[in-house]
Amino acid sequence: MAHILTYMTFIPLLGAALILCLPRAQHNLIKWTAAAATVPPLLMAVWLFVNFDRTQAGFQLIERAPWITLGSFKAEYFVAVDGISITMVLLTALLSFICIFASWGIDKAVKGYFALFLLLDTGMMGVFVALDFLLFFVFWEVMLLPMYFLIGIWGGPRREYAAIKFFLYTLVGSALMLLAILALYFYNEPHTLDMTQLIANNATYSRQFQLVVWIALFIGFAIKIPAFPFHTWLPDAHVEAPTAISVILAGVLLKMGTYGILRVNFAILPLATADLAYYFLAALGTWNIVYGALCAMAQKDLKKLVAYSSISHMGYVMLGMASFTQQGISGAVMQMFNHGTVTAMLFLLVGVIYDRAHHRQIEGFGGLATTMPVYTGVTALAFFAAMGLPGLSAFISEVLVLLGSWQSAKLLTAIAATAVILTAGYMLWTMQRMYFGKVNEKYATLPEINGRELFTLLPLGAIVIVLGVYPAPVLDLMTQSLHQLNQMVAPYL
């Protein structure tokens, strides 16, 4: 299918433009237009999943055209997918579609909300397909403004504080990334922003140059993951953001940090990656796992608990990436996909109970399994998936990460494996306090989860179960490309 990646990226933008032309009072028309704009990318994602050539390690569905030509400066519209980006493209298309329906209850400035959401969709998709560094940076920045307004206008009581904090953190990372892009551009002769050319030249970069640029890029991406100590924006942003925006934050935006490290740091700066990965990815990732789990255990707000659990789970991604083994790095990228589906379920479920009770205090509930049995069943599935129980998707990815990392960092792997107990502790403790025991009379008549809410949750639940039993469809997508990526770093280990 010609130009499929362009269509997937820009159809949501066309939807946003169409929404801006609709009458402000036509809420239903605006919402259905937004939903319609996310359907074609989702269908094309299914086509991509079926037709992606799993035997090739290189880029596929390449589209390139001149974009900016000014004297000797050239930038291209250059997009493609490979085994590293394909799962993120699928995840973005799926969660964007689901989040439109999770946003159905929005009744304030509806036109602005859905137009900004679709603009955000374009930015996210663009980041995962762009192969020109300037184009990549533009899409990266395109995400920033809609996310700022979506949190700052439609968020909770402290929305302005959370939005500004998110904006400033991300802007610092963007500034460092821009400096790194300039350094790479001018270091190469002839100057280029073509990522494939930057990768081809990676043996010509000096050690000192690689180390400096690697650290600048790493900070930019680590803020997005978020890795300790750059994580403090995340709990505030999650707590204040509307449900659907929390889903996008955890499901897609956090993955951009680890995706960026794989796409840029690993491939373009392999020598520095070999030198620094143990400290900046393996050790820091393990700290993220333990620190995030301990913080989650101390939370009284359910949404904040899920936010800190995300910090913990993204630590497994960092640990697996640093292993430089086929199992570890495949487990890391699969964990990115699995965390996207599992944490999306968790935030959607938090939204279900918040819409009814208008608070998220864990101690304020009790006996929800009696009043809302279907909701409790779906929550149990999401909780068990987050705990990494066998038979569910996160188990496969976490085991692959631990199998891979054991070969290069036994102590860190042992610490990371032990932290699974902490995850089970805060998840089961939360379930006991909210869903079992005596029914809180104040919430004895809470309505059960409705059809629209189930519509957003069941596809994710099905993916969690299917990939827990049969992970090959996702693993096959990425194996060749990740093997090739490992081979780039291997000579320097």
Side-chain angles (χ1 to χ4, degrees):
M1 186 185 289
H3 308 301
I4 183 172
L5 299 179
T6 297
Y7 294 142
M8 292 181 74
T9 304
F10 290 105
I11 284 177
L13 186 62
L14 287 175
L18 184 56
I19 284 174
L20 292 177
C21 299
L22 296 175
R24 183 179 302 174
Q26 296 291 329
H27 289 186
N28 280 336
L29 181 59
I30 291 168
K31 291 173 182 176
W32 281 112
T33 303
T38 58
V39 171
L42 180 63
L43 295 176
M44 291 177 199
V46 174
W47 185 92
L48 262 183
F49 175 75
V50 173
N51 292 281
F52 186 80
D53 187 347
R54 290 156 170 78
T55 62
Q56 284 193 26
F59 293 105
Q60 300 178 37
L61 302 164
I62 296 171
E63 298 175 41
R64 58 193 312 168
W67 175 32
I68 302 173
T69 303
L70 201 60
S72 60
F73 174 76
K74 290 181 182 176
E76 284 185 303
Y77 175 75
F78 181 13
V79 296
V81 287
D82 64 355
I84 301 170
S85 56
I86 181 75
T87 51
M88 295 299 99
V89 169
L90 301 178
L91 186 66
T92 303
L94 174 64
L95 292 186
S96 296
F97 172 75
I98 284 174
C99 284
I100 291 293
F101 292 94
S103 304
W104 220 251
I106 294 289
D107 55 6
K108 168 186 164 187
V110 175
K111 190 170 170 175
Y113 176 91
F114 284 96
L116 285 169
F117 185 93
L118 292 175
L119 177 60
L120 176 65
D121 188 359
T122 290
M124 294 187 297
M125 193 65 81
V127 165
F128 291 125
V129 300
L131 287 178
D132 180 282
F133 223 149
L134 185 62
L135 188 64
F136 176 89
F137 185 75
V138 167
F139 280 125
W140 187 276
E141 292 300 292
V142 163
M143 294 181 306
L144 183 57
L145 275 181
M147 187 56 83
Y148 169 76
F149 286 116
L150 287 166
I151 297 172
I153 296 176
W154 289 272
R158 296 174 68 244
R159 55 184 178 272
E160 291 91 353
Y161 169 77
I164 290 171
K165 197 172 181 180
F166 163 79
F167 191 92
L168 289 178
Y169 267 72
T170 308
L171 201 60
V172 169
S174 297
L176 289 170
M177 192 190 304
L178 183 59
L179 289 173
I181 292 171
L182 290 172
L184 283 166
Y185 174 75
F186 285 109
Y187 195 95
N188 281 270
E189 287 292 348
H191 304 327
T192 182
L193 291 165
D194 180 340
M195 284 189 183
T196 57
Q197 194 58 49
L198 294 174
I199 294 170
N201 296 344
N202 62 20
T204 65
Y205 309 143
S206 70
R207 178 183 293 272
Q208 188 177 11
F209 175 80
Q210 289 207 32
L211 291 174
V212 172
V213 175
W214 196 97
I215 290 173
L217 287 166
F218 174 79
I219 294 173
F221 294 134
I223 289 172
K224 215 68 162 187
I225 292 174
F228 182 91
F230 309 109
H231 66 286
T232 60
W233 65 269
L234 183 73
D236 290 317
H238 269 311
V239 167
E240 300 305 325
T243 296
I245 305 308
S246 290
V247 172
I248 290 294
L249 261 175
V252 181
L253 259 67
L254 307 193
K255 314 302 176 297
M256 289 179 180
T258 44
Y259 170 78
I261 292 172
L262 288 170
R263 171 67 73 216
V264 181
N265 292 50
F266 273 50
I268 298 177
L269 307 165
L271 189 154
T273 300
D275 283 356
L276 300 175
Y278 180 84
Y279 304 101
F280 286 80
L281 290 174
L284 194 58
T286 305
W287 174 247
N288 254 39
I289 293 169
V290 176
Y291 174 81
L294 289 173
C295 289
M297 193 171 281
Q299 299 310 311
K300 297 178 179 177
D301 183 313
L302 181 60
K303 204 172 186 185
K304 216 164 188 176
L305 179 148
V306 178
Y308 275 109
S309 78
S310 288
I311 293 172
S312 179
H313 285 121
M314 289 303 289
Y316 287 101
V317 178
M318 296 169 70
L319 180 62
M321 286 163 60
S323 70
F324 302 113
T325 60
Q326 189 66 47
Q327 301 95 330
I329 200 165
S330 295
V333 178
M334 191 171 182
Q335 174 74 355
M336 288 163 62
F337 183 84
N338 289 340
H339 178 259
T341 53
V342 173
T343 202
M345 286 186 75
L346 290 171
F347 277 115
L348 289 169
L349 289 160
V350 173
V352 170
I353 199 66
Y354 182 76
D355 286 346
R356 287 158 175 74
H358 305 296
H359 77 86
R360 301 179 297 257
Q361 294 302 308
I362 296 169
E363 297 290 355
F365 295 96
L368 285 177
T370 304
T371 53
M372 302 173 70
V374 177
Y375 170 72
T376 302
V378 180
T379 305
L381 173 64
F383 274 32
F384 290 146
M387 288 160 50
L389 235 61
L392 300 174
S393 58
F395 171 76
I396 302 292
S397 48
E398 289 181 8
V399 164
L400 286 174
V401 164
L402 296 175
L403 278 171
S405 61
W406 181 263
Q407 299 169 47
S408 56
K410 289 184 174 55
L411 177 60
L412 296 178
T413 306
I415 295 171
T418 309
V420 172
I421 298 168
L422 296 176
T423 307
Y426 67 74
M427 283 296 180
L428 292 176
W429 192 27
T430 302
M431 178 157 277
Q432 180 193 344
R433 286 179 288 170
M434 288 188 66
Y435 300 93
F436 301 128
K438 187 181 176 183
V439 175
N440 184 337
E441 292 303 323
K442 189 177 176 183
Y443 302 116
T445 57
L446 280 183
E448 180 58 280
I449 188 169
N450 62 39
R452 178 183 60 81
E453 291 160 341
L454 280 174
F455 176 73
T456 63
L457 285 158
L458 292 183
L460 298 171
I463 291 171
V464 165
I465 294 171
V466 169
L467 292 183
V469 179
Y470 186 58
V474 170
L475 285 173
D476 290 349
L477 284 172
M478 62 182 74
T479 301
Q480 294 300 324
S481 296
L482 292 176
H483 176 70
Q484 185 185 57
L485 189 64
N486 258 340
Q487 293 307 306
M488 290 182 190
V489 184
Y492 304 100
L493 292 173

